[in-house]
Amino acid sequence: MDVRTPEYHRPVLVDEAMRYLIGEGGLYLDGTVGGGGHAHAVLERCPGCRVVGLDRDGEALEAARARLSGFHGRVRLVRMSFSEVGHDLQLRVEGLAGALLDLGVSSRQLDSDRRGFTFRRGVALDMRMDPEGALTAEGFLARAPKGELMAALRAGQAPRCASLANRIVRRRAERPLRTSDDLVAVLESVLARRATHAEKARLFQALRIRVNDEIEALTVALPAIRELLCPGATLVVISYHSVEDGLVKRAFREWSDPAHGLPPRLPVRDSELTALGTVLTRKPVKPSAEEIAANPRARPARLRAWRRAA
């Protein structure tokens, strides 16, 4: 698909995200700009807003640049992981009126066999969000010690993690795992049957998360973005995996607890403590049935929002 078309990637939970995110004018962060869908919504609905869009993928930035070309002077696009957001001088000096992270993989990446995120037949095991990154899924499967393999599979909630790690180590000693077919064959040898779509998806997702250090990046990024938020600004995170969603949930809950991080039995009254901010979504916001019908890939999306204290 041409990167200039609006359907290059369909953003999820747009209306819901904008309701929490947009306040008054100012500088907003789209830390996973992708095809520019959420950034476009911010700029279109808020004439006084400006956006800094980050992405590790140069192809994504090219698509975003084309889609956002009508907002000249109000957009700055940077090839950067959101985990590096604290290094951006403009963001540190000006602060953020709001920030959004839409985690996971875009439709563009999933639909491109060349990028290697899919378990369609014959696809090379790449899975890099940054195509210039050093580590591919093939490289990780070839060299990771068994314990590291098992940890990555477990963290990504792949099926039969211990048996799968053992079988991968045995298989790679005979011949490399280079394609989706090779990896699915290992999974099915462990299951002793044909793998379901969900089982294959969890395995490939676990590898993608490890190859791109997604959990570590999110762990670093959340507090870094929090510190850049201006008083009263909101952070919105859309996740697609229970591990990521749990990490976001815990961070927002801790930031909203005035006593978090203090030694126990500290002689301080509760009234003297101040929370960093407030959770705006006690339960995650999920896509509507209508959105899922129009875009089935939206089904696992979960949105959480947190507002920094004024």
Side-chain angles (χ1 to χ4, degrees), residues 9-293:
H9 173 66
R10 183 179 297 182
V12 305
L13 292 167
V14 175
D15 291 337
E16 295 83 351
M18 296 305 112
R19 279 201 296 271
Y20 286 108
L21 183 65
I22 297 177
E24 299 179 356
L27 184 63
Y28 286 75
L29 172 72
D30 186 341
T32 46
V33 74
H38 286 109
H40 187 279
V42 172
L43 295 164
E44 184 176 55
R45 301 182 192 199
C46 178
C49 293
R50 293 167 289 120
V51 170
V52 173
L54 311 181
D55 209 289
R56 289 191 277 184
D57 188 340
E59 293 178 8
L61 291 176
E62 180 185 343
R65 188 169 288 109
R67 185 167 190 173
L68 304 175
S69 60
F71 300 101
H72 181 70
R74 296 173 57 199
V75 186
R76 181 167 64 92
L77 299 175
V78 185
R79 187 166 185 178
M80 176 190 293
S81 167
F82 56 67
S83 64
E84 303 171 289
V85 67
H87 302 316
D88 190 283
L89 181 60
Q90 181 192 11
L91 302 183
R92 295 207 313 267
V93 171
E94 185 171 349
L96 291 171
L100 169 72
L101 296 178
D102 181 13
L103 306 174
V105 186
S106 72
S107 295
R108 163 188 52 81
Q109 291 167 324
L110 285 172
D111 291 339
S112 172
D113 288 356
R114 176 175 55 84
R115 300 301 300 272
F117 288 99
T118 179
F119 46 82
R120 287 188 292 272
R121 293 184 63 84
V123 175
L125 293 170
D126 191 318
M127 301 191 191
R128 291 172 295 176
M129 289 184 175
D130 177 357
E132 298 177 9
L135 181 66
T136 64
E138 179 185 345
F140 177 71
L141 290 169
R143 293 186 290 275
K146 184 170 68 175
E148 188 176 349
L149 271 171
M150 193 182 310
L153 296 172
R154 184 174 291 116
Q157 300 178 334
R160 304 281 299 275
C161 299
S163 298
L164 195 51
N166 282 324
R167 194 66 57 90
I168 288 170
V169 170
R170 282 161 48 191
R171 162 60 196 272
R172 74 187 184 190
E174 301 168 1
R175 60 190 187 279
L177 290 88
R178 292 200 170 106
T179 69
S180 55
D181 300 333
D182 296 333
L183 188 55
V184 170
V186 171
L187 172 62
E188 292 182 338
S189 72
V190 169
L191 298 174
R193 57 171 171 78
R194 291 181 66 85
T196 66
H197 184 281
E199 288 167 333
K200 289 186 280 189
R202 291 204 306 273
L203 170 56
F204 277 66
Q205 177 178 254
L207 281 176
R208 185 208 82 211
I209 288 172
R210 174 60 186 84
V211 166
N212 296 286
D213 283 330
E214 294 175 44
I215 301 303
E216 175 64 22
L218 183 60
T219 301
V220 171
L222 288 174
I225 294 172
R226 182 196 69 203
E227 292 306 304
L228 295 173
L229 293 174
C230 297
T234 299
L235 169 58
V236 173
V237 182
I238 303 171
S239 58
Y240 301 82
H241 185 274
S242 61
V243 175
E244 294 171 332
D245 182 57
L247 198 160
V248 174
K249 178 182 178 180
R250 287 191 298 275
F252 286 2
R253 185 176 60 219
E254 291 171 359
W255 300 350
S256 304
D257 178 2
H260 177 70
L262 295 178
R265 296 183 296 278
L266 193 70
V268 178
R269 297 187 182 91
D270 289 346
S271 59
E272 297 175 325
L273 301 175
T274 304
L276 295 174
T278 305
V279 175
L280 303 180
T281 49
R282 294 299 174 185
K283 294 183 178 180
V285 179
K286 302 178 183 180
S288 66
E290 292 76 16
E291 180 169 10
I292 292 172

